[in-house]
Amino acid sequence: MVLYFLIIGFGAFFIGGLLCFLFFRYSTQGMLKKAEEEGEMIKKRKVVEAKEKFIALKLEHEKMVRQDEQRKQQQEQRLQQREQQLNQRQGELQRGQNELQQQSRQIEQQQKAIEHKTQEIDRMHKQAEQQLEKLSGMSAEEAKIQLVEALKDEAKTAAMAYVNETMDDARLTASKEAKKIIIQTIQRIASDTTVENAVSVFHIDNDEVKGRIIGREGRNIRALEAATGVEIVVDDTPESITLSAYDPIRREVARLALHQLVQDGRIHPARIEEVVAKVTKQVEEEMIETGKRTAIDLGVHGLHPELIRLIGKMKYRSSYGQNLLQHARETAMLCGAMAAELGLNTKKARRAGLLHDLGKVAEEDTDLPHAEIGMKLCEKYGEKPDICNAVGAHHDEIEMETLIAPIVQACDAISGARPGARREIVETYVKRLNDLEDMAMSYPGVVKTYALQAGRELRVIVGADKISDKDTELLSFDLAKRIQDEMTYPGQVKITVIRETRAVNYAK
C-alpha cells in the first residue's frame, strides 16, 4: 500500500516537472523573440541617429573649411596691401635720400664758397689794417687800447648818469609812498624813551621809615636783599632809597614789596618773605596779562602760553633806552602796514614783528645772538617755519627765506632809528662821527671832511686840481655805498661832495 502511494507520488512529481519544463521553455522562447525584435529596433534607431550625427558633423566641418578659406583670403589681401605700402614707403625713402644727398652737395658747395669769401675778407681786412696803421702811425694794439679807454670813460659817465637818474626817479615815486606809510605809522605808535640803567629809586615820606627798613642790626634789609636778589642802598639822600640790580624784574619786585611793606607798617623777616613771594606771583600774573593784552591788541592769536609770558616780560626790559615791549609793538605795527602795502599776509607780518626780539628776554644763558635764541624759542613752542626764519634773520644771523624776513628787519631798524627812540652812548656817538670822517679822508683828493647833524650828513671837500666834476659824482656814490656796507647808523646819511675853484687876486 505504501509502495503504491510512492509510485503514484513519484509519477505525479515527474509529470508536474515535465509540465513545468515545457511551460518554462515556451515562455523563454517568447521572451527571447521579443527581446530580439526590440534589439533590432534599437539597432535601427541607433544607425539612423549615427547617420544624422555624421551628416551634421560633415556639414559643420564643411562650414569650418569655408571659414578658414575666407580667413586665408583676407590675410592674403592684407599682406598684399602691406606689401604695397612698404613698396611705397621704400620709394619715398629712396627719394628722400636722393634729396638729402643733393642738399649735402649744395651745403658743401656753399661752405666752400663761404670759406673762400672769409679768406678774401680776412685778406682785405689785413690790407685795411695795414693802410690804417700807415695813415695813423699807430699799431692795431695801440688803437684798441685807446678805443677801450675811451669807451670805459664814456660808459662810466653814462652809467653814473643812469644811476643818478634812476635814483632820482626812485626818490620821487617809491620813496614818497614809503615815507608816507612809515611816518604815519611812527606818529601813530611812537612812544617815549625810557632810560636804561640798573638802578631804581624808591621814594619814602620821611627818613624815619629808613630805620624800620634797615631793622635791628640790619636784619630787615638783609632779609629783603636775600629774598629779592637786589642790592638796597640806604644813604644820606633825603626821602629816597636806591634799588640796584641788573635784572629789571627783580628791581620791580623789590620796589613793589617795599611799597606794600611801608604801607602795611609791619616790617620783619617773616613778613618780608611773605610779601616778596606774593609780589613775585603778582608780577608773573601781570606779565601774562600784559602778554595777552598785547597779542589781542595786535590781532595775534594762537600763541603758546610761554611765548605770551615772555612777551609780557618785555615790559620790564629796555634796549638802548627804548622799552622792549613798545619796540616790539611798533615793529609789529610797521610790519603789518608794510605787508598790507605789498599785498602780503599782514597777520603773519605782525606776528613775526612782535616775536622778533624774544631772545632778549630768554631765561637760558647761552652765547648765541638773541635773534637765534628767539628763533629756537619759536621753533620750540610751535611757530611756523616762515615766522621762525623771520625772527632768526632780522640781524642777518641766518639766511632769509621768505618775504616777511626783510620786512621785519626793515621795521626793526625803523623803530630803533626813529628820532628819540634810543639813547646812544657818548663814546659810541663820537666814534661813529670819527669813523665817518676818516672813511672819507681815505680817498685821494679829499681835503677836509665834516660830519654834521649828529652824523646824518657828511660833507666832503675835495681839491679842484685833483678831482674833476665827474669824479665827484663817483666819489659820492662810492662813499655812500661803502658807508652802507661797513657801518651801522640810525636813519640815513647824506653825503655831499664839494668841489670849487677860487680865483684870488690882490689890488695894491
Side-chain angles (χ1 to χ4, degrees), residues 350-363:
R350 285 198 298 268
R351 192 183 194 96
L354 178 62
L355 300 175
H356 79 283
D357 271 346
L358 208 65
K360 291 184 177 180
V361 293
E363 297 173 356

Side-chain angles (χ1 to χ4, degrees), residues 359-360 362-374 376-377:
K360 291 184 177 180
E363 297 173 356
E364 295 84 359
D365 187 12
T366 63
D367 295 332
L368 293 175
H370 74 274
E372 292 189 25
I373 297 174
K376 292 183 181 297
L377 286 172

Side-chain angles (χ1 to χ4, degrees), residues 58 102 210 240 251 274 311:
K58 185 178 179 182
Q102 292 178 0
K210 289 184 180 181
S240 66
R251 290 204 311 272
E274 179 184 350
I311 291 171

Side-chain angles (χ1 to χ4, degrees), residues 7 89 98-99 126-127 129 211 213 275 307 313 327 353 404 438 457:
I7 294 170
R89 290 182 181 177
N98 295 332
E99 291 177 357
K126 289 180 180 179
Q127 291 178 357
E129 284 184 353
I213 293 173
V275 170
L307 294 181
K313 192 176 179 180
H327 168 61
I404 298 177
D438 293 341
E457 182 179 357

Side-chain angles (χ1 to χ4, degrees), residues 75-303:
Q75 288 178 355
E76 288 177 357
Q77 291 176 358
R78 285 198 294 269
L79 289 173
Q80 290 176 358
Q81 291 177 357
R82 289 182 180 178
E83 187 175 358
Q84 292 175 359
Q85 292 176 356
L86 289 173
N87 292 332
Q88 291 177 358
R89 290 182 181 177
Q90 187 175 3
E92 292 176 355
L93 288 173
Q94 187 65 34
R95 288 194 297 272
Q97 288 179 355
N98 295 332
E99 291 177 357
L100 286 174
Q101 290 177 358
Q102 292 178 0
Q103 291 178 359
S104 298
R105 287 194 293 270
Q106 292 177 358
I107 290 171
E108 289 178 357
Q109 294 175 359
Q110 291 176 358
Q111 286 180 348
K112 291 180 180 179
I114 291 170
E115 289 177 357
H116 179 71
K117 288 182 180 180
T118 304
Q119 293 175 357
E120 186 67 20
I121 291 170
D122 291 340
R123 186 179 60 78
M124 294 175 65
H125 182 67
K126 289 180 180 179
Q127 291 178 357
E129 284 184 353
Q130 291 175 358
Q131 291 178 0
L132 286 173
E133 288 178 0
K134 290 179 180 179
L135 293 174
S136 63
M138 292 188 300
S139 64
E141 293 297 328
E142 293 175 350
K144 285 181 182 178
I145 293 172
Q146 187 174 356
L147 180 61
V148 168
E149 291 296 330
L151 289 174
K152 278 184 180 179
D153 294 338
E154 184 179 354
K156 189 180 292 185
T157 303
M160 280 306 307
Y162 178 74
V163 168
N164 290 333
E165 183 180 355
T166 304
M167 291 175 68
D168 291 339
D169 291 340
R171 291 191 186 98
L172 291 174
T173 56
S175 179
K176 183 182 294 184
E177 291 299 323
K179 287 180 179 178
K180 181 179 178 182
I181 295 169
I182 293 168
I183 290 172
Q184 288 178 351
T185 308
I186 289 174
Q187 289 176 345
R188 186 170 63 251
I189 63 176
S191 59
D192 296 332
T193 302
T194 59
V195 178
E196 181 183 21
N197 53 33
V199 175
S200 297
V201 178
F202 178 74
H203 296 281
I204 56 179
D205 295 335
N206 52 68
D207 290 341
E208 294 180 359
V209 181
K210 289 184 180 181
R212 294 165 56 192
I213 293 173
I214 294 172
R216 184 180 300 174
E217 298 178 356
R219 63 177 185 174
N220 291 344
I221 195 170
R222 285 197 302 271
L224 189 58
E225 288 179 343
T228 59
V230 175
E231 183 181 357
I232 301 174
V233 181
V234 181
D235 53 15
D236 296 335
T237 305
E239 298 181 355
S240 66
I241 294 175
T242 304
L243 308 177
S244 177
Y246 287 104
D247 190 339
I249 297 177
R250 290 183 180 180
R251 290 204 311 272
E252 181 67 12
V253 169
R255 188 185 67 80
L256 293 175
L258 266 177
H259 180 71
Q260 290 190 14
L261 288 168
V262 169
Q263 281 189 339
D264 184 52
R266 295 177 294 169
I267 304 176
H268 52 82
R271 178 63 177 167
I272 288 172
E273 292 180 0
E274 179 184 350
V275 170
V276 169
K278 182 180 178 181
V279 170
T280 302
K281 186 177 180 181
Q282 290 176 355
V283 171
E284 287 288 333
E285 292 175 353
E286 177 66 20
M287 286 193 296
I288 295 173
E289 185 63 26
T290 301
K292 289 181 179 178
R293 286 200 305 269
T294 303
I296 292 172
D297 292 343
L298 295 173
V300 178
H301 305 290
L303 289 172

Side-chain angles (χ1 to χ4, degrees), residues 181 185 188-189 298 329-354 404 407-408 411:
I181 295 169
T185 308
R188 186 170 63 251
I189 63 176
L298 295 173
R329 291 173 67 96
E330 287 180 6
T331 304
M333 295 296 292
L334 286 166
C335 288
M338 285 192 177
E341 291 296 326
L342 296 172
L344 301 177
N345 191 322
T346 57
K347 291 184 177 180
K348 284 188 175 181
R350 285 198 298 268
R351 192 183 194 96
L354 178 62
I404 298 177
I407 291 177
V408 173
C411 294

